[in-house]
Amino acid sequence: MDHYARNLDALRKTRPELADAIDRAAPDPRHYRLLDTRSGAPTLEIIADDGKAEFWHSRYDPLREAERDISSIDHSSIYIPLFAGCGLGYSLRLLWDRHREEFFDLVLVERDAGILRLAMEVTRLDDILSDPRVYIHIGEDLNAWGELVRKITPALVSGKLQAVVHPPSQKLYRAYYQNAFEILRQRMRLARAEFDLMIRSGATIQKNLWLNLPAAVHSFGLREAGNLLNKRPAIVVAAGPSLDKNAFLLRQAQSGFTIFCVDTAYRTLKNQGVDPDFVVSTDPTELNAKHFENVVPAPNTILAFDPEVYFAIPARWPHRRMFLNLEKAAFTRWLEETAGPYGYLPKGGSVGHTAFYLARELGADPIIFVGLDLAFDPEGGTTHAAASALRREHGKIEEGVLQADLGPRFNARPLREEIVWVNGVRGKLVPTSQIMALYIRQFGEEFRRTQAKIIDATEGGALLDGTEIMTLEEALRRYALQEATLRQRLAELQPSASSLSRLREEIQRIAEALESMAPLAAEGIGLCVQLAPQTAAGAALRETPEWERIGECFNALYQSQEIKIAMEQTLFSAVYYFIQKERFDRTDIRLNKYKNYFESYQALRPSFRELLKRVETILE
């Protein structure tokens, strides 16, 4: 039976661009042939250019084969199926029909649009293709696949991914699917690292947001800076160990380049007599302040900070500051509307990413990197430049090893690092950490999106896609630009006036909302305690008025914009626990999630109420 028109119509309603791509992908009958089988379900024969044939399914019973394809899935808990190759849709259809109640989201990645078109011809998929929680990537563009993975990461971390692999697809397009899985793994590693940070430090980050508000309102932003550099050269200084070898060259660069320095490299530059134009700081921990101890900033150096940075750094900075607002949180969006606009800048995985984003946003071209090693010296050395508080020592790392010992650093013990081997700028593999391997991929992705020339003058470390390798001495000689007007523009950057009275009124409104919501949290806790002995009733408990009321209390708190502004990242751990999926009948798990959220709110609310009073006082 030809299901194509019905399937295409369903796909067009939810994903019109994908539907158009599929409709254009008419398979060449010289290479794709649908053949009948004894079971009545067609099989597919693909004929390669060399004349060899590959059967996409069993020549006898493709439906029984589909049973085998899904047999490895663990159905004991909620999961997320990841289909790597759809074949003719038999496994997809079977899993959907038999196990739909066991998953909320489903991911399909298929290299060949023609294959999906044939699947839509022979298998009814309209209900699947029209479901908004089915995420589909079709085609060879793995950058687009990476973008999709990034967008759906919150869904992916809320359940266990289980792969349903179509063996012939893997055989014919092995490199494609290997790369697709690697992109997924790296993105999930990065997401877990970010979520682990939020679980551990969400309260600290939210506190920084509030305590950085007074500095933010007395800072200028991207709006005032505009296209400041307008295709003029800039240097981004990171804190890799190679910086100790060539930082002295930057003394001669101060008049011909705009220098952006990450805070971890600031002391190294100062020790070399270099005063950068911008010091970029983003890390929320108290350790970050160590980079500024016993350092006297030059009057012309601007601190560029984001709202999550450790609050004492902007508060103690004696000169001009630039506020790099983030779009990610309710607080920062509220601040943009109430005291801005400042303009948003992405944060990236590291402070080096932020420094690069800032140089790019201000129109720098070329952008020259120094100290961006993102790798360890296999002969032994240090993780950072000598003056960085993050610096650890390490011994020789033998080629191919998967772990290496790193020595202690300030206030931290030695650790054993998982090692990844990547291409180095000198043509050999070099060791790096898993998190730096993610940073390398992030930089490569961003460099592809950047029109400016990117030059790596690190003189060592990992090879970064999209860069031109050059010594720092050569880069300085080739691109130096003497221009007094730019220095004058930098000197003239000043913050716009903000309405402090409006800010104080807003803070009072948010504080009142924190108090007014407290009775709902208390009521929710009481109802959770009341229903706890009844969870053996399973799904039937969801039909009671008490259960409905718990949901109302939770939704009122969770959806409150004021609570999100005040405490969103503080409550991240409770929210992360809540979004982990459970079976519909596991009311005991859902009840614990409700209770944990209510109790977290009640426990943390008083300290944030006091914090708001403190900020309001500073603004007077």
Side-chain angles (χ1 to χ4, degrees):
M1 180 179 178
D2 190 346
H3 298 281
Y4 182 67
R6 181 174 181 174
N7 287 332
L8 186 67
D9 183 60
L11 187 61
R12 182 160 280 129
K13 290 177 180 177
T14 54
R15 303 169 181 88
E17 292 182 1
L18 182 57
D20 290 341
I22 295 296
D23 206 27
R24 291 193 299 267
D28 187 337
R30 294 173 298 178
H31 295 287
Y32 301 83
R33 292 195 298 182
L34 290 173
L35 304 175
D36 292 332
T37 67
R38 286 180 292 185
S39 69
T43 190
L44 173 64
E45 183 184 37
I46 294 184
I47 303 171
D49 292 335
D50 60 5
K52 293 182 180 179
E54 183 77 38
F55 280 93
W56 229 236
H57 291 283
S58 166
R59 283 172 279 182
Y60 304 102
D61 192 350
L63 299 183
R64 180 171 294 182
E65 184 183 60
E67 299 259 8
R68 295 196 300 270
D69 288 345
I70 68 171
S71 63
S72 62
I73 290 184
D74 176 8
H75 302 286
S76 62
S77 60
I78 294 295
Y79 56 91
I80 301 168
L82 169 62
F83 280 81
C86 67
L88 291 177
Y90 299 138
S91 301
L92 179 59
R93 181 75 264 169
L94 189 63
L95 186 73
W96 193 272
D97 289 341
R98 292 189 180 178
H99 301 284
R100 182 67 187 96
E101 73 283 357
E102 296 169 3
F103 57 88
F104 294 91
D105 305 285
L106 182 147
V107 182
L108 166 64
V109 54
E110 171 57 65
R111 179 193 178 279
D112 192 337
I115 296 292
L116 182 55
R117 178 180 174 124
L118 290 172
M120 291 167 62
E121 291 179 6
V122 302
T123 306
R124 183 189 161 225
L125 301 171
D126 58 302
D127 52 336
I128 303 173
L129 297 174
S130 62
D131 194 303
R133 302 193 75 156
V134 172
Y135 305 104
I136 303 172
H137 172 74
I138 304 296
E140 300 179 44
D141 185 359
L142 287 176
N143 290 328
W145 162 244
E147 283 298 308
L148 175 63
V149 171
R150 183 185 61 79
K151 290 176 183 176
I152 66 176
T153 294
L156 298 182
V157 299
S158 64
K160 180 182 178 182
L161 274 169
Q162 296 200 56
V164 182
V165 174
H166 185 245
S169 300
Q170 306 295 311
K171 179 180 178 182
L172 191 61
Y173 303 125
R174 184 178 305 278
Y176 172 85
Y177 285 103
Q178 286 177 341
N179 290 332
F181 276 120
E182 182 59 25
I183 289 170
L184 177 65
R185 279 192 291 268
Q186 292 210 14
R187 179 61 212 176
M188 294 301 289
R189 285 194 200 109
L190 182 59
R192 291 190 184 101
E194 291 172 346
F195 291 159
D196 286 346
L197 172 66
M198 288 300 300
I199 289 169
R200 294 192 315 270
S201 306
T204 298
I205 291 172
Q206 190 74 28
K207 179 182 177 182
N208 286 336
L209 296 181
W210 279 107
L211 291 177
N212 281 326
L213 188 154
V217 298
H218 293 104
S219 302
F220 66 87
L222 293 171
R223 184 186 64 160
E224 287 86 1
N227 188 31
L228 176 74
L229 299 184
N230 192 22
K231 300 188 180 300
R232 295 174 176 87
I235 298 173
V236 174
V237 184
S242 66
L243 184 63
D244 290 328
K245 302 174 184 177
N246 58 11
F248 71 94
L249 293 171
L250 295 175
R251 284 197 296 267
Q252 70 190 66
Q254 294 181 89
S255 61
F257 297 84
T258 302
I259 299 178
F260 298 81
C261 170
V262 303
D263 48 14
T264 45
Y266 185 39
R267 189 190 304 275
T268 297
L269 291 197
K270 290 292 289 184
N271 289 346
Q272 293 292 339
V274 179
D275 289 310
D277 298 287
F278 294 89
V279 177
V280 182
S281 193
T282 64
D283 194 280
T285 63
E286 186 176 358
L287 174 64
N288 208 30
K290 291 289 180 183
H291 304 306
F292 297 88
E293 284 187 352
N294 302 317
V295 176
V296 179
N300 65 315
T301 297
I302 297 165
L303 176 71
F305 70 99
D306 82 12
E308 296 180 349
V309 74
Y310 181 59
F311 68 91
I313 295 172
R316 295 171 184 167
W317 189 259
H319 307 303
R320 289 175 301 153
R321 296 166 296 202
M322 182 178 191
F323 181 53
L324 310 176
N325 203 10
L326 301 169
E327 196 173 7
K328 59 185 280 189
F331 175 93
T332 58
R333 294 189 293 273
W334 165 78
L335 186 58
E336 185 77 8
E337 180 181 340
T338 307
Y342 298 98
Y344 295 120
L345 193 75
K347 189 181 184 82
S350 70
V351 65
H353 289 93
T354 302
F356 164 66
Y357 295 148
L358 178 56
R360 182 176 65 180
E361 184 70 21
L362 297 184
D365 189 4
I367 299 173
I368 302 166
F369 279 98
V370 184
L372 194 67
D373 297 63
L374 294 176
F376 307 122
D377 187 337
E379 297 302 315
T382 63
T383 59
H384 292 75
S388 170
L390 302 181
R391 179 179 181 270
R392 296 177 184 268
E393 295 184 353
H394 65 85
K396 184 174 182 178
I397 302 175
E398 298 292 343
E399 185 174 349
V401 302
L402 300 179
Q403 291 184 329
D405 293 320
L406 305 181
R409 63 162 170 78
F410 175 82
N411 206 28
R413 293 176 293 181
L415 61 82
R416 172 155 285 194
E417 187 73 70
E418 299 294 326
I419 294 297
V420 179
W421 291 84
V422 298
N423 292 323
V425 297
R426 295 193 172 96
K428 295 182 178 180
L429 294 177
V430 292
T432 189
S433 67
Q434 289 191 351
I435 193 66
M436 285 198 294
L438 297 177
Y439 294 163
I440 291 168
R441 179 178 288 273
Q442 275 191 325
F443 272 118
E445 292 171 350
E446 290 298 334
F447 292 164
R448 283 192 292 271
R449 299 188 185 101
T450 303
Q451 293 183 351
K453 179 190 289 290
I454 309 295
I455 295 170
D456 186 356
T458 294
E459 301 185 51
L463 179 66
L464 302 175
D465 290 342
T467 64
E468 181 180 344
I469 307 301
M470 193 178 296
T471 66
L472 179 56
E473 189 173 18
E474 170 65 18
L476 298 182
R477 182 170 61 251
R478 185 178 300 187
Y479 293 106
L481 177 68
Q482 304 290 336
E483 188 176 19
T485 57
L486 178 59
R487 295 288 134 197
Q488 183 62 33
R489 276 211 65 194
L490 276 167
E492 292 172 352
L493 286 173
Q494 297 293 335
S496 301
S498 297
S499 173
L500 298 185
S501 60
R502 184 188 175 199
L503 263 177
R504 289 194 294 269
E505 290 172 2
E506 280 286 297
I507 293 171
Q508 291 171 5
R509 179 180 67 82
I510 293 166
E512 290 168 2
L514 284 181
E515 294 302 311
S516 67
M517 290 291 188
L520 282 178
E523 181 184 357
I525 293 170
L527 288 168
C528 288
V529 172
Q530 179 184 335
L531 291 185
Q534 305 176 41
T535 54
L541 191 61
R542 295 175 180 268
E543 305 300 322
T544 63
E546 292 83 2
W547 186 276
E548 183 178 347
R549 180 56 184 164
I550 290 175
E552 291 173 353
C553 292
F554 173 79
N555 288 332
L557 288 163
Y558 180 70
Q559 295 174 8
S560 167
Q561 194 63 19
E562 288 76 20
I563 289 178
K564 287 181 179 179
I565 294 168
M567 298 176 60
E568 181 178 33
Q569 299 189 75
T570 304
L571 295 171
F572 180 86
S573 180
V575 172
Y576 182 76
Y577 174 45
F578 193 88
I579 67 172
Q580 301 305 302
K581 298 182 176 70
E582 78 278 345
R583 290 181 178 276
F584 191 71
D585 60 346
R586 291 300 304 270
T587 49
D588 57 329
I589 296 177
R590 177 53 66 97
L591 206 60
N592 283 335
K593 291 179 178 181
Y594 279 135
K595 187 168 181 284
N596 179 64
Y597 182 85
F598 293 139
E599 289 178 340
S600 297
Y601 175 76
Q602 289 291 66
L604 295 165
R605 176 183 51 80
S607 63
F608 274 84
R609 179 67 185 90
E610 291 303 311
L611 180 62
L612 266 61
K613 288 181 180 178
R614 177 180 169 185
V615 174
E616 191 178 348
T617 300
I618 295 172
L619 290 173
E620 288 179 354

